[in-house]
Amino acid sequence: MSVTLGSEWPSQDELVIAVVTEILDHGAYVKLESHGGKKGYLPISEISQGWVTDIRRFINPGQRVVLRAIRVNPQKGQIDLSLKRVTPSERNAMLKAWKRRRKFSKIMEEFSNELKLQSEERNKILSILMSNPDPLGVLERAASEGPNALESLGMDSSIAQKLAEYTKRIVKVKEYSGKLEFQLQTSKKGGANLIMDALIELENFLNSKNVRNRVYVVAAPRYACEIVSEKPKSINTLLKEIPAKLKDIAARLGLKLTLDST
């Protein structure tokens, strides 16, 4: 099973992903990977803004390129393309998006094979996922948040559960981290135990927030806490809450707190 990405024919002015298959004196032929392997033609006049004497200075057979469709005629089987009308930022964004779509295609192919899905059920799942501009992003959320991320799109709960479990095994979810350093000091008797109690209380507070964390000694009286989460908002929120929590702990235990100014 393969997942077809994009419609069979590109629309005029649409950006496409293509592989150069043949170079001639007057232009080059390409295969549109983003549109089912359709054949397209890149005339020499559309390769560069300047004068082109040697096409191979710009493209070579087997090279993957981002092109813009400038003339499309399905009746004649004609797709004319341009390289010079694609900006560097458009090219980079398109290649990045294409890599994500290819990764999505591979994941869904392997998932369908593992579950031995029938065509009708497979296509229904793909229809739901590909209604989103970034279907891989949907799978990444499912790996992080569970089947609810799929069920909210209308996917059957049984399939959503299986797909979420599958993606969690193979999709690397991006994690975010934050760190805060601080000082705790006291001249009280048993001060070391008081500071240890403060660090344990801070660790318990972080554990209650469902984030991975580490509270440790940098070099007494300097300490630090690190937090890791798949949700950047959780990191930002906690980095604002931790100072207030430390102030509360220090005040109750009679410790002097100095927060990192950075």
Side-chain angles (χ1 to χ4, degrees):
M1 186 279 286
S2 61
V3 180
T4 301
L5 303 179
S7 59
E8 188 176 1
W9 290 90
S11 57
Q12 187 166 330
D13 204 42
E14 181 180 349
L15 293 177
V16 302
I17 297 284
V19 172
V20 180
T21 57
E22 184 181 5
I23 292 180
L24 306 171
D25 291 339
H26 50 77
Y29 284 105
V30 301
K31 179 176 70 174
L32 275 63
E33 286 190 316
S34 56
H35 291 76
K38 286 290 183 185
K39 187 176 183 179
Y41 178 64
L42 172 62
I44 191 171
S45 61
E46 289 294 333
I47 289 179
S48 174
Q49 299 291 351
W51 185 259
V52 178
T53 56
D54 183 3
I55 294 177
R56 292 177 185 271
R57 286 185 54 219
F58 300 89
I59 55 173
N60 285 284
Q63 182 179 348
R64 181 174 287 111
V65 291
V66 177
L67 305 171
R68 188 179 298 279
I70 54 176
R71 282 179 292 275
V72 180
N73 190 327
Q75 288 72 32
K76 294 183 178 181
Q78 176 186 3
I79 305 174
D80 288 343
L81 304 153
S82 174
L83 178 63
K84 71 180 184 182
R85 304 190 198 193
V86 180
T87 67
S89 60
E90 287 176 328
R91 180 181 67 248
N92 293 337
M94 186 67 177
L95 287 173
K96 182 179 179 180
W98 175 245
K99 288 179 181 178
R100 289 182 63 78
R101 299 279 278 192
R102 287 286 296 271
K103 184 176 180 180
F104 165 77
S105 176
K106 183 178 180 181
I107 290 172
M108 292 309 301
E109 180 176 354
E110 293 173 350
F111 174 72
S112 297
N113 290 338
E114 182 173 302
L115 267 66
K116 296 181 172 57
L117 296 177
Q118 298 298 314
S119 296
E120 184 178 352
E121 187 174 21
R122 179 191 69 209
N123 292 337
K124 184 177 180 180
I125 296 170
L126 289 176
S127 177
I128 292 172
L129 295 173
M130 295 182 71
S131 64
N132 188 287
D134 181 19
L136 180 59
V138 177
L139 296 184
E140 289 171 339
R141 287 195 297 276
S144 172
E145 302 170 12
N148 286 342
L150 301 171
E151 292 174 11
S152 64
L153 300 176
M155 189 175 294
D156 176 78
S157 59
S158 175
I159 289 294
Q161 181 69 40
K162 293 175 182 177
L163 183 53
E165 291 174 355
Y166 181 81
T167 54
K168 190 171 185 178
R169 295 202 316 262
I170 62 172
V171 174
K172 184 178 180 180
V173 179
K174 185 175 182 180
E175 292 186 323
Y176 302 85
S177 63
K179 179 180 178 181
L180 179 68
E181 292 193 8
F182 54 93
Q183 295 182 47
L184 287 174
Q185 296 171 294
T186 182
S187 57
K188 288 185 176 183
K189 185 178 180 180
N193 289 333
L194 289 174
I195 290 175
M196 181 60 67
D197 289 343
L199 297 179
I200 291 173
E201 186 171 343
L202 175 61
E203 187 175 41
N204 290 336
F205 167 73
L206 296 176
N207 287 337
S208 71
K209 300 297 183 177
N210 296 316
V211 295
R212 295 211 319 271
N213 65 84
R214 185 165 74 102
V215 179
Y216 59 95
V217 180
V218 177
R222 195 167 190 80
Y223 307 89
C225 65
E226 295 179 353
I227 51 178
V228 179
S229 174
E230 297 163 359
K231 301 176 181 179
K233 288 184 178 179
S234 297
I235 297 296
N236 294 333
T237 299
L238 263 181
L239 288 176
K240 294 176 182 178
E241 293 179 357
I242 291 172
K245 184 63 177 179
L246 280 170
K247 289 177 182 178
D248 174 65
I249 295 172
R252 283 189 285 102
L253 297 179
L255 303 174
K256 179 184 177 182
L257 169 68
T258 305
L259 294 170
D260 195 326
S261 59
T262 58

